[in-house]
Amino acid sequence: MRRIWLIGSVALGLVLGGHLGFVGAQDQAEPKKLNPFTGNPEAIKEGRQLYFLYGCSGCHGKKGGGGMGRPLIDDEWTFGSDDETLFKLIRGQIPEQTMPLGFGKVMKEEETWKVLAYIRSLYKGDSSLVNW
Ligand code: HEC
């Protein structure tokens, strides 16, 4: 008799455990996209060239200090500081943005990540706030 109880509770445990695990997985939000090139010296070098090629420097300054566009070296980010948000902003996919929308049409996705890797390398804000 005892043995049947034991088997029964193990089976119940598996069913419940499996079920809860499934619910947990459903609750999790999709992870945000991360820049595959962050900290990669080659990509940062290329990103710097792209930053000038695409005229980012015209609005954000040669060293990202800002001008007509916002500074890119501080820890204030209008729409968020994570990789995915800035990727979308650079590619013109944030409806409220005032930055020009056209870069997504001319820039390859990979180039966008590389420019972002360059921007990250310029960051001079509070390192405890870094979440990328
Ligand atoms: C015509 C001027 C202009 C050009 C060119 C431009 N930007 Fe911007 N950028 C802006 C403005 C204006 C904002 C502020 C956006 C907002 O708050 O709606 C901005 C915001 C940003 C931000 C977020 C800054 C923050 O503090 O939240 C990033 C990152 C950025 N630009 C990157 C780039 C990159 C990379 C390029 C080149 C591909 C580029 N920008 C070209 C004007 C420009």
Side-chain angles (χ1 to χ4, degrees), residues 93-113:
Q93 294 166 359
I94 296 192
E96 312 85 20
Q97 78 180 63
T98 53
M99 177 158 140
L101 300 174
F103 291 111
K105 294 204 178 74
V106 290
M107 240 185 179
K108 294 191 195 113
E109 292 205 356
E110 192 178 295
E111 291 180 325
T112 310
W113 287 127

Side-chain angles (χ1 to χ4, degrees), residues 56-89:
C56 317
S57 56
C59 290
H60 292 289
K62 288 198 179 98
K63 292 183 173 162
M68 196 203 300
R70 291 180 51 89
L72 304 177
I73 56 174
D74 61 5
D75 42 40
E76 284 178 35
W77 304 98
T78 307
F79 302 105
S81 64
D82 62 281
D83 287 346
E84 186 173 318
T85 302
L86 294 183
F87 178 84
K88 284 187 178 158
L89 175 71

Side-chain angles (χ1 to χ4, degrees), residues 34-74:
L34 289 177
N35 188 351
F37 296 110
T38 303
N40 175 328
E42 280 302 307
I44 291 171
K45 222 166 107 191
E46 232 181 283
R48 182 173 181 278
Q49 287 163 357
L50 294 166
Y51 183 83
F52 287 94
L53 181 74
Y54 284 112
C56 317
S57 56
C59 290
H60 292 289
K62 288 198 179 98
K63 292 183 173 162
M68 196 203 300
R70 291 180 51 89
L72 304 177
I73 56 174
D74 61 5

